């Protein structure tokens, strides 16, 4: 049995987006195109991390990135062989997975560095890592203005190998943000300090002057669109891979939506003037109306704020969501949508027709309720079956 509400994930659109991003970052003459780290954390932004990661690996992803070790293990067990970077903080109990599943950790605190060094030493092995610098977001990372004090112990570790240095921008999606410019400057200064502290091994002493022994990355999707000066050696698209441009930014990259969310009408009924619908009677009919019931609710990830603000598509028409979003269903006003009947397709996210207004995308839905596209896709519920095309 299959529930009426399903998500369809277009893996060919995903690969298309990956190639479009590749083409975009290769468009600047006179520079080596940055490699692409594909961000598949949070179940690939709700799209299904195992299938998405395998498709991106097939498309040529240089590196995949997850939030934690547990997410990365899911990918390895699904058959992913590409390198996997773990963004998040490390706890001592998690470290076995790094070695067992060949994962690349982020080192963002001195205590994590010591724990990793001890674990690698016990196993008599070496471990490559990415160093995170906090340039002003004030979450994880070594402070950019304290590196000469905090980094020597890590860089002197005998079993840890520096592979990359990175940072994360707090306001890349805010045009004109001074914080973004300040973080960019802080990162450039931090890289100069790291360059000074990193002592090349004997085999590297012939390295040309100015060439780093490690890679550098800083760009999420928004920063990738905003400023090519911080592309460095690698970029980290997340939302862009899934065909969504971070608001309020615009993009000339030819992207395709990867996820659509559809359901079916299960009931149609009339309302008399003065009657209400749903919990709390948050909607009351002022005149005779026709209401359709759709089996998708907040347990499936639909936001409560869609009531009175969101729309769905039925028979190629936009119809408003009325009444409270409940756990398992929503109601929509189909008075002006023609002869709606049980079984009719309902598009919650996606397209139903060729006109521009016959599409509801994630960015529109997020804007209608005052949230961000990341939240919309990440909240698509686990009980919704995902089909891959």
């Amino acid at each position: 049995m299959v529930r009426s509400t399903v998500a369809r994930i277009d893996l060919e659109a995903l690969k298309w987006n990956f190639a479009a991003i590749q083409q975009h970052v290769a468009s600047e003459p006179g520079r080596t195109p940055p490699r692409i780290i594909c961000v598949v954390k949070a179940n690939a932004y709700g799209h299904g991390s195992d299938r998405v990661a395998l498709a991106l690996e097939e498309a040529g992803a240089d590196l995949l990135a997850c939030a934690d070790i547990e997410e990365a293990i899911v990918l390895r067990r699904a058959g992913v062989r590409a390198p996997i970077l773990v963004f998040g903080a490390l706890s001592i109990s998690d470290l076995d997975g790094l070695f067992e599943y060949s994962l690349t950790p982020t080192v963002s605190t001195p205590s994590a560095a010591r724990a990793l060094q001890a674990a690698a030493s016990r196993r008599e092995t070496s471990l490559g890592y990415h160093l995170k610098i906090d340039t002003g977001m004030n979450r994880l990372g070594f402070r950019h203005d304290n590196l000469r004090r905090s980094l020597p112990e890590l860089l002197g570790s005998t079993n840890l190998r520096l592979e990359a240095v990175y940072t994360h921008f707090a306001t890349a999606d805010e045009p004109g943000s001074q914080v973004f410019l300040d973080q960019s400057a802080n990162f450039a200064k931090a890289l100069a300090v790291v360059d000074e502290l990193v002592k090349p091994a004997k085999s590297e002493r012939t390295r040309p002057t100015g060439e780093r022994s490690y890679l550098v990355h800083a760009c999420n999707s928004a920063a990738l669109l905003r400023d090519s000066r911080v592309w460095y050696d690698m970029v980290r698209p997340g939302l862009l891979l899934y065909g969504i441009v971070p608001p309020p930014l615009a993009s000339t990259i030819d992207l395709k939506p990867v996820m659509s969310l559809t359901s079916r009408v299960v009931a149609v009924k009339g309302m008399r003037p003065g009657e209400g619908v749903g919990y709390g009677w948050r909607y009351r009919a002022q005149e005779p109306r026709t209401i359709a019931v759709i089996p998708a609710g907040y347990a499936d990830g639909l936001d409560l704020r869609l009531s009175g603000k969101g729309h769905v598509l039925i028979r190629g028409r936009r119809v408003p969501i009325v009444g409270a979003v409940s756990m398992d269903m929503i109601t929509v006003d189909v008075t002006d949508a023609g002869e709606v009947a049980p079984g009719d397709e309902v598009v919650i996210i996606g397209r139903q027709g060729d006109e521009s207004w016959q599409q509801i995308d994630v960015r529109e839905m997020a804007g209608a309720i005052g949230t961000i596209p990341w939240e919309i896709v990440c909240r698509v519920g686990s009980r919704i079956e995902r089909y891959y095309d």
Side-chain angles (χ1 to χ4, degrees):
M1 298 293 292
V2 178
R3 295 184 71 249
S4 299
T5 305
V6 299
R8 297 195 178 277
I9 312 300
D10 188 341
L11 296 178
E12 291 305 311
L14 177 76
K15 293 177 183 179
W16 171 281
N17 295 340
F18 175 82
I21 295 167
Q22 273 189 320
Q23 184 177 3
H24 178 73
V25 297
S27 63
E28 290 218 347
R31 66 177 296 170
T32 301
R35 296 158 57 187
I36 297 179
I37 302 173
C38 294
V39 181
V40 294
K41 64 180 180 175
N43 196 28
Y45 291 46
H47 291 67
S49 61
D50 49 355
R51 295 293 297 274
V52 165
L54 288 168
L56 290 170
E57 183 178 45
E58 183 179 326
D62 295 294
L63 186 65
L64 303 172
C66 295
D68 54 40
I69 293 172
E70 288 73 20
E71 286 187 346
I73 290 174
V74 169
L75 301 188
R76 285 285 186 249
R77 289 175 174 170
V80 172
R81 296 183 179 182
I84 300 175
L85 172 64
V86 176
F87 280 145
L90 303 174
S91 63
I92 295 175
S93 60
D94 289 331
L95 298 186
D96 288 345
L98 294 172
F99 301 91
E100 182 178 352
Y101 292 94
S102 300
L103 308 177
T104 302
T106 290
V107 177
S108 55
T109 65
S111 60
R114 295 183 192 110
L116 278 176
Q117 166 58 31
S121 178
R122 285 194 301 272
R123 290 167 176 79
E124 298 183 344
T125 188
S126 64
L127 183 67
Y129 69 93
H130 289 210
L131 168 65
K132 186 170 187 180
I133 306 294
D134 176 11
T135 55
M137 195 165 187
N138 286 311
R139 297 194 313 185
L140 295 175
F142 287 74
R143 282 192 62 97
H144 67 93
D145 52 3
N146 195 39
L147 297 179
R148 285 188 175 86
R149 175 181 296 179
S150 60
L151 272 189
E153 179 183 1
L154 169 59
L155 296 177
S157 297
T158 55
N159 296 83
L160 302 181
R161 183 178 66 258
L162 177 64
E163 293 182 348
V165 177
Y166 76 97
T167 194
H168 192 48
F169 294 115
T171 62
D173 56 351
E174 297 180 16
S177 168
Q178 184 61 44
V179 173
F180 176 80
L181 299 177
D182 291 344
Q183 282 195 263
S184 300
N186 290 341
F187 191 48
K189 293 175 184 176
L191 290 174
V193 175
V194 176
D195 287 343
E196 174 189 323
L197 295 174
V198 172
K199 295 180 173 60
K202 291 181 181 179
S203 61
E204 297 176 336
R205 287 177 182 166
T206 58
R207 184 181 300 277
T209 302
E211 184 176 335
R212 291 190 170 104
S213 59
Y214 55 88
L215 299 170
V216 177
H217 53 99
C219 283
N220 60 2
S221 290
L224 186 158
L225 295 175
R226 177 172 174 172
D227 192 344
S228 62
R229 291 173 298 179
V230 290
W231 284 355
Y232 291 107
D233 303 307
M234 296 185 284
V235 293
R236 305 189 304 262
L239 206 61
L240 287 176
L241 286 171
Y242 308 104
I244 307 166
V245 177
L249 302 178
S251 173
T252 58
I253 304 175
D254 184 16
L255 301 173
K256 297 181 179 182
V258 175
M259 176 190 288
S260 62
L261 186 62
T262 62
S263 189
R264 297 279 174 184
V265 173
V266 293
V268 179
K269 61 196 310 176
M271 289 179 61
R272 296 185 176 92
E275 292 183 336
V277 63
Y279 290 115
W281 270 31
R282 297 180 185 179
Y283 170 78
R284 296 193 186 198
Q286 302 301 311
E287 55 187 340
R289 308 303 292 175
T290 303
I291 300 298
V293 181
I294 300 164
Y298 62 75
D300 302 296
L302 300 189
D303 196 288
L304 294 172
R305 292 168 290 180
L306 287 169
S307 174
K309 297 179 180 178
H311 293 77
V312 301
L313 294 166
I314 300 178
R315 297 198 169 197
R317 294 174 177 260
R318 283 174 169 258
V319 296
I321 299 172
V322 295
V325 174
S326 58
M327 182 181 292
D328 306 306
M329 64 189 76
I330 56 174
T331 49
V332 299
D333 186 340
V334 295
T335 307
D336 302 319
E339 295 296 322
V340 174
D344 282 352
E345 181 190 57
V346 179
V347 172
I348 301 169
I349 297 171
R351 179 177 289 278
Q352 194 182 59
D354 298 327
E355 302 295 332
S356 60
W357 52 268
Q358 291 176 310
Q359 177 177 359
I360 296 174
D361 62 26
V362 172
R363 185 162 158 163
E364 175 193 333
M365 181 181 287
I369 62 175
T371 188
I372 56 177
W374 296 264
E375 182 180 4
I376 298 294
V377 288
C378 286
R379 288 180 61 181
V380 173
S382 59
R383 76 179 183 180
I384 289 181
E385 192 76 25
R386 288 159 173 80
Y387 292 89
Y388 295 88
D389 300 325

